[in-house]
mmCIF file of all heavy atoms in Angstrom:
data_model
loop_
_atom_site.group_PDB
_atom_site.id
_atom_site.type_symbol
_atom_site.label_atom_id
_atom_site.label_comp_id
_atom_site.label_asym_id
_atom_site.label_seq_id
_atom_site.Cartn_x
_atom_site.Cartn_y
_atom_site.Cartn_z
ATOM 1 N N PRO A 1 8.398 -1.339 16.077
ATOM 2 C CA PRO A 1 8.158 -1.519 17.509
ATOM 3 C C PRO A 1 6.674 -1.819 17.895
ATOM 4 O O PRO A 1 6.466 -2.380 18.887
ATOM 5 C CB PRO A 1 8.553 -0.092 18.046
ATOM 6 C CG PRO A 1 8.381 0.808 16.906
ATOM 7 C CD PRO A 1 8.718 -0.038 15.686
ATOM 8 N N PHE A 2 5.762 -1.472 16.926
ATOM 9 C CA PHE A 2 4.435 -1.701 17.257
ATOM 10 C C PHE A 2 3.767 -2.367 16.068
ATOM 11 O O PHE A 2 4.008 -1.985 14.852
ATOM 12 C CB PHE A 2 3.641 -0.398 17.502
ATOM 13 C CG PHE A 2 4.229 0.387 18.671
ATOM 14 C CD1 PHE A 2 4.999 1.443 18.382
ATOM 15 C CD2 PHE A 2 4.061 0.054 19.995
ATOM 16 C CE1 PHE A 2 5.607 2.153 19.383
ATOM 17 C CE2 PHE A 2 4.603 0.716 21.029
ATOM 18 C CZ PHE A 2 5.436 1.813 20.749
ATOM 19 N N ILE A 3 2.892 -3.356 16.233
ATOM 20 C CA ILE A 3 2.235 -4.025 15.100
ATOM 21 C C ILE A 3 1.309 -3.116 14.412
ATOM 22 O O ILE A 3 1.008 -3.314 13.249
ATOM 23 C CB ILE A 3 1.559 -5.331 15.695
ATOM 24 C CG1 ILE A 3 1.077 -6.148 14.465
ATOM 25 C CG2 ILE A 3 0.329 -4.951 16.470
ATOM 26 C CD1 ILE A 3 0.543 -7.577 14.864
ATOM 27 N N ILE A 4 0.785 -2.052 15.109
ATOM 28 C CA ILE A 4 -0.106 -1.107 14.453
ATOM 29 C C ILE A 4 0.570 -0.375 13.258
ATOM 30 O O ILE A 4 -0.103 0.059 12.414
ATOM 31 C CB ILE A 4 -0.591 -0.158 15.577
ATOM 32 C CG1 ILE A 4 -1.800 0.737 14.937
ATOM 33 C CG2 ILE A 4 0.461 0.897 15.912
ATOM 34 C CD1 ILE A 4 -3.095 -0.095 14.792
ATOM 35 N N THR A 5 1.919 -0.347 13.316
ATOM 36 C CA THR A 5 2.613 0.267 12.233
ATOM 37 C C THR A 5 2.252 -0.409 10.838
ATOM 38 O O THR A 5 2.076 0.353 9.874
ATOM 39 C CB THR A 5 4.083 0.253 12.462
ATOM 40 O OG1 THR A 5 4.318 0.953 13.701
ATOM 41 C CG2 THR A 5 4.849 1.039 11.409
ATOM 42 N N ASN A 6 2.315 -1.617 10.810
ATOM 43 C CA ASN A 6 2.061 -2.341 9.527
ATOM 44 C C ASN A 6 0.512 -2.311 9.247
ATOM 45 O O ASN A 6 0.214 -2.625 8.076
ATOM 46 C CB ASN A 6 2.568 -3.692 9.621
ATOM 47 C CG ASN A 6 4.103 -3.730 9.528
ATOM 48 O OD1 ASN A 6 4.700 -2.831 8.918
ATOM 49 N ND2 ASN A 6 4.725 -4.760 9.968
ATOM 50 N N ARG A 7 -0.306 -2.192 10.233
ATOM 51 C CA ARG A 7 -1.678 -2.396 10.031
ATOM 52 C C ARG A 7 -2.203 -1.222 9.020
ATOM 53 O O ARG A 7 -3.127 -1.447 8.203
ATOM 54 C CB ARG A 7 -2.509 -2.128 11.342
ATOM 55 C CG ARG A 7 -3.953 -2.424 11.185
ATOM 56 C CD ARG A 7 -4.574 -2.352 12.470
ATOM 57 N NE ARG A 7 -4.235 -3.411 13.357
ATOM 58 C CZ ARG A 7 -4.841 -4.522 13.558
ATOM 59 N NH1 ARG A 7 -5.891 -4.788 12.780
ATOM 60 N NH2 ARG A 7 -4.390 -5.413 14.411
ATOM 61 N N LEU A 8 -1.597 -0.009 9.107
ATOM 62 C CA LEU A 8 -2.163 1.079 8.258
ATOM 63 C C LEU A 8 -1.341 1.063 6.902
ATOM 64 O O LEU A 8 -0.590 1.989 6.692
ATOM 65 C CB LEU A 8 -1.918 2.324 9.071
ATOM 66 C CG LEU A 8 -2.834 2.597 10.241
ATOM 67 C CD1 LEU A 8 -2.367 3.742 11.065
ATOM 68 C CD2 LEU A 8 -4.230 2.640 9.869
ATOM 69 N N SER A 9 -1.655 0.168 6.024
ATOM 70 C CA SER A 9 -1.050 0.157 4.719
ATOM 71 C C SER A 9 -2.112 0.587 3.730
ATOM 72 O O SER A 9 -3.329 0.603 4.052
ATOM 73 C CB SER A 9 -0.529 -1.120 4.351
ATOM 74 O OG SER A 9 -1.608 -2.128 4.359
ATOM 75 N N CYS A 10 -1.725 1.099 2.599
ATOM 76 C CA CYS A 10 -2.685 1.609 1.644
ATOM 77 C C CYS A 10 -2.115 1.232 0.196
ATOM 78 O O CYS A 10 -0.917 1.253 0.024
ATOM 79 C CB CYS A 10 -2.998 3.020 1.755
ATOM 80 S SG CYS A 10 -1.573 3.992 2.291
ATOM 81 N N ILE A 11 -3.023 1.162 -0.742
ATOM 82 C CA ILE A 11 -2.547 0.784 -2.133
ATOM 83 C C ILE A 11 -3.234 1.630 -3.174
ATOM 84 O O ILE A 11 -4.459 2.140 -2.952
ATOM 85 C CB ILE A 11 -3.058 -0.733 -2.421
ATOM 86 C CG1 ILE A 11 -2.652 -1.704 -1.325
ATOM 87 C CG2 ILE A 11 -2.504 -1.185 -3.743
ATOM 88 C CD1 ILE A 11 -3.247 -3.038 -1.529
ATOM 89 N N CYS A 12 -2.675 1.952 -4.251
ATOM 90 C CA CYS A 12 -3.182 2.566 -5.421
ATOM 91 C C CYS A 12 -2.473 1.988 -6.696
ATOM 92 O O CYS A 12 -1.414 1.615 -6.654
ATOM 93 C CB CYS A 12 -3.152 4.065 -5.384
ATOM 94 S SG CYS A 12 -1.494 4.799 -5.347
ATOM 95 N N TRP A 13 -3.277 2.061 -7.775
ATOM 96 C CA TRP A 13 -2.747 1.525 -9.033
ATOM 97 C C TRP A 13 -2.533 2.743 -10.010
ATOM 98 O O TRP A 13 -3.295 3.781 -9.967
ATOM 99 C CB TRP A 13 -3.835 0.699 -9.742
ATOM 100 C CG TRP A 13 -4.029 -0.750 -9.103
ATOM 101 C CD1 TRP A 13 -4.716 -0.957 -8.062
ATOM 102 C CD2 TRP A 13 -3.552 -1.931 -9.673
ATOM 103 N NE1 TRP A 13 -4.683 -2.429 -7.811
ATOM 104 C CE2 TRP A 13 -3.948 -2.956 -8.837
ATOM 105 C CE3 TRP A 13 -2.873 -2.379 -10.806
ATOM 106 C CZ2 TRP A 13 -3.717 -4.370 -9.112
ATOM 107 C CZ3 TRP A 13 -2.645 -3.645 -11.109
ATOM 108 C CH2 TRP A 13 -3.007 -4.654 -10.142
ATOM 109 N N SER A 14 -1.519 2.582 -10.836
ATOM 110 C CA SER A 14 -1.371 3.513 -11.974
ATOM 111 C C SER A 14 -2.572 3.415 -12.934
ATOM 112 O O SER A 14 -3.179 2.329 -12.998
ATOM 113 C CB SER A 14 -0.008 3.361 -12.758
ATOM 114 O OG SER A 14 -0.036 2.041 -13.322
ATOM 115 N N HIS A 15 -2.819 4.463 -13.769
ATOM 116 C CA HIS A 15 -4.100 4.383 -14.579
ATOM 117 C C HIS A 15 -3.905 3.409 -15.793
ATOM 118 O O HIS A 15 -4.863 2.969 -16.343
ATOM 119 C CB HIS A 15 -4.373 5.726 -15.062
ATOM 120 C CG HIS A 15 -4.746 6.673 -13.996
ATOM 121 N ND1 HIS A 15 -6.141 6.786 -13.485
ATOM 122 C CD2 HIS A 15 -4.097 7.596 -13.208
ATOM 123 C CE1 HIS A 15 -6.151 7.662 -12.477
ATOM 124 N NE2 HIS A 15 -5.007 8.207 -12.340
ATOM 125 N N ASP A 16 -2.652 2.944 -16.128
ATOM 126 C CA ASP A 16 -2.524 1.958 -17.136
ATOM 127 C C ASP A 16 -2.401 0.611 -16.494
ATOM 128 O O ASP A 16 -2.206 -0.454 -17.246
ATOM 129 C CB ASP A 16 -1.308 2.292 -17.958
ATOM 130 C CG ASP A 16 -0.027 2.371 -17.162
ATOM 131 O OD1 ASP A 16 -0.123 2.138 -15.865
ATOM 132 O OD2 ASP A 16 1.027 2.625 -17.748
ATOM 133 N N ASP A 17 -2.614 0.370 -15.172
ATOM 134 C CA ASP A 17 -2.584 -0.847 -14.531
ATOM 135 C C ASP A 17 -1.235 -1.548 -14.645
ATOM 136 O O ASP A 17 -1.199 -2.814 -14.433
ATOM 137 C CB ASP A 17 -3.665 -1.790 -15.011
ATOM 138 C CG ASP A 17 -5.028 -1.319 -14.644
ATOM 139 O OD1 ASP A 17 -5.084 -0.597 -13.546
ATOM 140 O OD2 ASP A 17 -6.023 -1.753 -15.231
ATOM 141 N N GLN A 18 -0.147 -0.876 -14.852
ATOM 142 C CA GLN A 18 1.151 -1.476 -15.029
ATOM 143 C C GLN A 18 1.922 -1.375 -13.707
ATOM 144 O O GLN A 18 2.796 -2.209 -13.453
ATOM 145 C CB GLN A 18 2.005 -0.794 -16.059
ATOM 146 C CG GLN A 18 1.368 -0.950 -17.426
ATOM 147 C CD GLN A 18 1.286 -2.318 -17.937
ATOM 148 O OE1 GLN A 18 2.110 -3.223 -17.766
ATOM 149 N NE2 GLN A 18 0.062 -2.696 -18.418
ATOM 150 N N LEU A 19 1.649 -0.503 -12.818
ATOM 151 C CA LEU A 19 2.430 -0.240 -11.529
ATOM 152 C C LEU A 19 1.382 -0.288 -10.397
ATOM 153 O O LEU A 19 0.252 0.146 -10.533
ATOM 154 C CB LEU A 19 3.223 1.043 -11.520
ATOM 155 C CG LEU A 19 4.242 1.216 -12.719
ATOM 156 C CD1 LEU A 19 4.823 2.593 -12.697
ATOM 157 C CD2 LEU A 19 5.228 0.082 -12.665
ATOM 158 N N ILE A 20 1.945 -0.671 -9.265
ATOM 159 C CA ILE A 20 1.095 -0.683 -7.998
ATOM 160 C C ILE A 20 1.912 0.009 -6.894
ATOM 161 O O ILE A 20 3.142 -0.268 -6.676
ATOM 162 C CB ILE A 20 0.855 -2.058 -7.458
ATOM 163 C CG1 ILE A 20 0.082 -2.905 -8.550
ATOM 164 C CG2 ILE A 20 -0.048 -2.006 -6.171
ATOM 165 C CD1 ILE A 20 -0.033 -4.356 -8.158
ATOM 166 N N ALA A 21 1.333 1.071 -6.331
ATOM 167 C CA ALA A 21 2.071 1.818 -5.249
ATOM 168 C C ALA A 21 1.519 1.354 -3.915
ATOM 169 O O ALA A 21 0.317 1.413 -3.735
ATOM 170 C CB ALA A 21 1.890 3.330 -5.432
ATOM 171 N N VAL A 22 2.381 1.021 -3.024
ATOM 172 C CA VAL A 22 2.008 0.557 -1.631
ATOM 173 C C VAL A 22 2.699 1.365 -0.615
ATOM 174 O O VAL A 22 3.903 1.538 -0.616
ATOM 175 C CB VAL A 22 2.283 -0.976 -1.475
ATOM 176 C CG1 VAL A 22 1.904 -1.396 -0.026
ATOM 177 C CG2 VAL A 22 1.579 -1.828 -2.499
ATOM 178 N N GLY A 23 1.843 1.959 0.266
ATOM 179 C CA GLY A 23 2.433 2.657 1.385
ATOM 180 C C GLY A 23 2.287 1.789 2.679
ATOM 181 O O GLY A 23 1.227 1.433 3.096
ATOM 182 N N SER A 24 3.435 1.443 3.243
ATOM 183 C CA SER A 24 3.368 0.655 4.522
ATOM 184 C C SER A 24 4.422 1.189 5.487
ATOM 185 O O SER A 24 5.655 1.507 5.096
ATOM 186 C CB SER A 24 3.827 -0.808 4.134
ATOM 187 O OG SER A 24 3.803 -1.605 5.371
#
């Protein structure tokens, strides 16, 4: 409903750089 919802995304990598976690 609001474009601000997608604006607040965040990223982190696993320590072996094999996986990427994204919160959106």
Side-chain angles (χ1 to χ4, degrees):
F2 304 103
I3 191 171
I4 192 68
T5 303
N6 284 337
R7 183 181 293 272
L8 292 170
S9 61
C10 40
I11 311 172
C12 64
W13 288 75
S14 62
H15 292 278
D16 59 3
D17 288 340
Q18 298 300 310
L19 301 175
I20 305 172
V22 176
S24 180

